[in-house]
C-alpha cells in the first residue's frame, strides 16, 4: 500500500538522545524542551514560542489569552478540520463562518468583511493544507477593525508569505505536530507570538497559573499543563533541522503531480505571489462531474491511500443544525477535493497512471 504520508524521522536519528534522557531520568522540563522552543522561535522569527500538547490546546489557549467570553463572536475560516471551530464552541462563544476562495482554499477577504460585527472579538485564519496565501490581506482587515488575528497554522510549519514565516504573520499562531504533519512529535503543537502582553499571560497560564513574585512562587491565576516531554522535543528538533529541504522536496513532488494530472482536468491548490507553500497535503480539485468518493475507492483497490481535502465546517451535522449557515465554496471543496500521497520517494508515476486509468474509464462510461 502506498500510504498517504510517512514521517520524516527514524529511530536511528533520536536513539542516542533517548538513551541520554533515560539515563538522566529527566523526562519533562529538561534541556530539549528549552532547545526545541528556542529553535521554533528562531525558525519562524517570533519573539516567543510555547510548546503545547496539540494545535487544539494551542487554539484554546489563544482564545483564553484574548479573553473570549460566552456570546462573543469569532470569525472562522470555513474550510478546515473541525478542531478550528470546536475550540470556539467549547468556550460558549459563537462561531461565524467565513467562506473561502476556490483557488487558494483560504478565507476570502470580502467574506470576512461581510461577517464582522460589533460582537466580533477575534478572527481565526486557517492556512488551508499549509498554504498561507492571503493572510497578509486578512491581517490588514483585522487591523482596520482592531480585531486580534489568530493564525491556525496547524499545517503550515515551513510556509511563508512575503518572506515572513508562518508563525510570525498573525497576533497569535498555532502549529500542530501530529503524525500527518511535516514535523511530528507524535502528538504536540506550539503557540508563537510577538506580543509581550500575550506572552506574559501564556507564561502564567501554561504554568498552572503560577508566577514568581518577591522571590516566592504564587498561584496568581488558574492554569494548565499542556507540556511536551523531552523525547518528543528531540524528535521535533531533528526534523526542524531539515525542514527547509523537506519543503523544497515536496514542492518538486507537487510539480510532478501537476504536470501529469492537470492535463486530465485536475486543478491543484494555488498560492498567492510571494508565497512558499510547504505542501503539507497534495490536494487537487477533481474534474467537473467526477465522483471523488468513487475515485478514492478505486485508488484503494490499486493499493494507493487517498482521502478528501478537508471539511466544510459549516456543513458538518452539528454546526449545520445549530447555525444553518453553510458556505458555498467550502462545501464545494469538501465534495470535490482529493488528497494524494506526498513524501520522499513516493511513486508519482504509478499513482498518476492509475488516476489516468480511472479517468479514461470514467469518460468512457459517460
Amino acid at each position: 500500500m502506498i500510504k498517504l504520508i510517512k514521517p520524516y524521522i527514524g529511530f536511528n536519528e533520536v536513539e542516542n538522545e533517548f538513551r541520554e534522557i533515560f539515563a538522566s531520568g529527566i523526562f519533562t522540563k529538561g534541556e530539549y524542551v528549552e532547545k526545541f522552543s528556542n529553535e521554533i522561535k528562531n525558525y519562524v522569527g517570533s519573539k516567543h514560542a510555547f510548546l503545547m500538547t496539540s494545535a487544539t490546546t494551542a487554539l484554546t489557549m489563544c482564545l483564553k489569552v484574548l479573553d473570549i467570553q460566552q456570546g462573543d463572536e469569532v470569525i472562522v475560516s470555513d474550510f478546515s478540520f473541525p478542531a478550528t471551530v470546536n475550540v470556539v464552541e467549547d468556550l460558549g462563544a459563537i462561531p461565524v463562518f467565513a467562506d473561502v476562495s476556490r483557488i487558494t482554499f483560504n478565507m476570502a477577504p470580502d467574506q470576512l468583511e461581510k461577517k464582522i460585527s460589533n460582537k466580533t472579538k477575534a478572527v481565526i485564519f486557517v492556512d488551508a493544507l499549509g498554504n498561507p496565501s492571503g493572510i497578509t490581506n486578512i491581517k490588514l482587515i483585522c487591523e482596520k477593525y482592531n480585531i486580534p488575528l489568530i493564525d491556525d497554522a496547524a499545517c503550515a510549519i515551513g510556509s511563508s508569505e512575503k518572506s515572513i514565516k508562518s508563525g510570525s504573520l498573525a497576533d497569535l499562531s498555532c502549529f500542530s505536530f501530529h503524525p500527518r504533519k511535516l514535523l511530528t512529535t507524535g502528538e504536540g503543537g506550539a503557540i508563537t507570538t510577538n506580543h509581550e502582553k500575550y506572552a506574559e499571560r501564556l507564561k502564567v497560564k501554561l504554568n498552572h497559573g503560577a508566577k514568581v513574585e518577591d522571590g516566592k512562587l504564587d498561584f496568581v491565576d488558574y492554569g494548565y499543563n499542556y507540556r511536551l516531554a523531552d523525547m518528543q522535543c528531540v524528535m521535533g528538533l531533528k526534523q526542524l533541522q531539515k525542514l527547509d529541504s523537506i519543503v523544497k522536496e515536496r514542492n518538486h513532488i507537487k510539480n510532478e503531480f501537476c504536470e501529469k494530472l492537470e492535463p486530465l482536468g485536475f486543478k491543484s491548490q494555488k498560492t498567492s505571489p510571494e508565497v512558499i507553500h510547504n505542501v503539507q497535503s497534495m490536494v487537487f480539485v477533481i474534474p467537473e462531474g467526477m465522483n471523488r468518493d468513487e475515485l478514492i475507492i478505486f485508488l484503494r483497490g490499486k493499493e494507493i491511500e487517498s482521502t478528501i481535502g478537508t471539511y466544510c465546517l459549516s456543513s458538518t451535522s452539528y454546526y449545520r443544525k445549530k447555525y444553518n449557515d453553510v458556505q458555498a465554496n467550502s462545501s464545494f471543496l469538501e465534495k470535490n477535493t482529493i488528497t494524494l500521497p506526498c513524501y520522499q520517494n513516493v511513486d508519482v508515476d504509478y499513482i498518476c497512471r492509475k488516476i489516468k486509468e480511472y479517468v479514461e474509464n470514467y469518460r468512457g462510461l459517460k
Side-chain angles (χ1 to χ4, degrees):
M1 172 69 77
I2 298 177
K3 304 294 291 183
L4 191 62
I5 195 167
K6 290 182 179 179
Y8 288 87
I9 186 76
F11 182 70
N12 62 305
E13 296 176 72
V14 298
E15 183 176 4
N16 290 338
E17 287 86 350
F18 278 17
R19 290 185 185 279
E20 290 175 9
I21 290 168
F22 272 86
S24 71
I26 300 173
F27 292 92
T28 186
K29 299 180 75 172
E31 63 173 299
Y32 293 106
V33 173
E34 185 176 359
K35 283 181 180 178
F36 189 35
S37 177
N38 285 334
E39 288 302 313
I40 289 173
K41 180 176 63 176
N42 293 336
Y43 180 80
V44 306
S46 67
K47 293 180 180 178
H48 305 278
F50 300 87
L51 301 179
M52 303 292 295
T53 53
S54 68
T56 307
T57 52
L59 284 165
T60 296
M61 286 308 307
C62 288
L63 294 174
K64 287 181 176 290
V65 162
L66 295 176
D67 199 28
I68 301 301
Q69 300 291 320
Q70 188 169 353
D72 289 342
E73 292 182 357
V74 178
I75 300 176
V76 178
S77 186
D78 195 49
F79 192 56
S80 183
F81 190 77
T84 304
V85 66
N86 289 347
V87 296
V88 178
E89 186 76 6
D90 183 59
L91 292 179
I94 300 169
V96 177
F97 303 102
D99 208 354
V100 299
S101 159
R102 290 194 186 188
I103 306 301
T104 66
F105 308 170
N106 287 345
M107 183 185 288
D110 63 323
Q111 295 298 310
L112 169 59
E113 289 217 67
K114 280 170 54 177
K115 299 298 177 75
I116 292 173
S117 75
N118 58 9
K119 292 184 179 180
T120 305
K121 302 302 180 185
V123 170
I124 301 179
F125 178 92
V126 176
D127 305 278
L129 313 163
N131 180 10
S133 292
I135 188 172
T136 303
N137 290 334
I138 295 297
K139 185 177 181 180
L140 290 174
I141 295 171
C142 289
E143 288 173 348
K144 173 183 172 182
Y145 292 94
N146 196 29
I147 301 169
L149 175 63
I150 299 170
D151 183 11
D152 182 347
C155 296
I157 189 82
S159 297
S160 63
E161 184 171 62
K162 298 182 184 295
S163 300
I164 301 173
K165 283 278 203 305
S166 295
S168 282
L169 290 162
D171 297 305
L172 291 153
S173 301
C174 303
F175 292 114
S176 170
F177 305 139
H178 181 273
R180 270 200 65 183
K181 305 303 186 286
L182 267 66
L183 187 159
T184 181
T185 57
E187 292 283 0
I191 298 172
T192 57
T193 184
N194 289 313
H195 288 256
E196 297 298 330
K197 179 179 70 173
Y198 299 151
E200 288 304 313
R201 188 121 195 255
L202 283 165
K203 287 176 187 175
V204 174
K205 280 289 191 184
L206 295 174
N207 193 31
H208 298 283
K211 187 177 183 180
V212 176
E213 292 186 335
D214 299 325
K216 294 182 179 179
L217 186 69
D218 189 15
F219 292 90
V220 298
D221 198 352
Y222 68 95
Y224 310 91
N225 170 8
Y226 291 143
R227 300 189 189 108
L228 284 189
D230 271 56
M231 288 186 290
Q232 291 175 286
C233 293
V234 170
M235 292 173 62
L237 279 164
K238 297 293 185 180
Q239 293 160 88
L240 193 59
Q241 291 166 1
K242 55 186 177 181
L243 185 58
D244 286 342
S245 65
I246 292 171
V247 171
K248 185 176 180 180
E249 178 183 58
R250 292 176 76 90
N251 273 276
H252 177 73
I253 295 168
K254 177 181 179 179
N255 290 338
E256 285 189 72
F257 271 115
C258 289
E259 287 174 9
K260 291 176 169 61
L261 294 182
E262 286 183 350
L264 300 176
F266 289 80
K267 297 178 182 178
S268 65
Q269 180 186 20
K270 304 301 182 183
T271 59
S272 299
E274 299 183 78
V275 161
I276 293 175
H277 182 200
N278 67 1
V279 197
Q280 161 61 45
S281 297
M282 185 65 262
V283 177
F284 287 91
V285 177
I286 62 171
E288 185 177 354
M290 183 176 287
N291 187 311
R292 188 271 320 278
D293 295 342
E294 285 185 3
L295 175 56
I296 290 173
I297 293 169
F298 173 84
L299 292 175
R300 188 184 308 142
K302 303 299 180 181
E303 299 291 305
I304 300 166
E305 186 178 16
S306 61
T307 188
I308 67 172
T310 193
Y311 298 91
C312 171
L313 302 180
S314 60
S315 72
T316 58
S317 294
Y318 177 86
Y319 292 107
R320 185 180 68 251
K321 289 175 183 176
K322 184 167 183 180
Y323 298 105
N324 190 29
D325 188 28
V326 176
Q327 303 300 302
N329 288 344
S330 179
S331 180
F332 169 85
L333 290 172
E334 179 183 326
K335 296 170 184 173
N336 291 281
T337 50
I338 186 169
T339 303
L340 300 174
C342 182
Y343 46 84
Q344 188 176 42
N345 297 323
V346 70
D347 194 340
V348 176
D349 285 336
Y350 175 77
I351 294 168
C352 292
R353 282 202 312 272
K354 294 304 166 186
I355 291 175
K356 185 177 181 181
E357 179 182 319
Y358 176 83
V359 170
E360 289 173 347
N361 289 339
Y362 167 78
R363 287 177 177 163
L365 293 172
K366 288 183 71 175

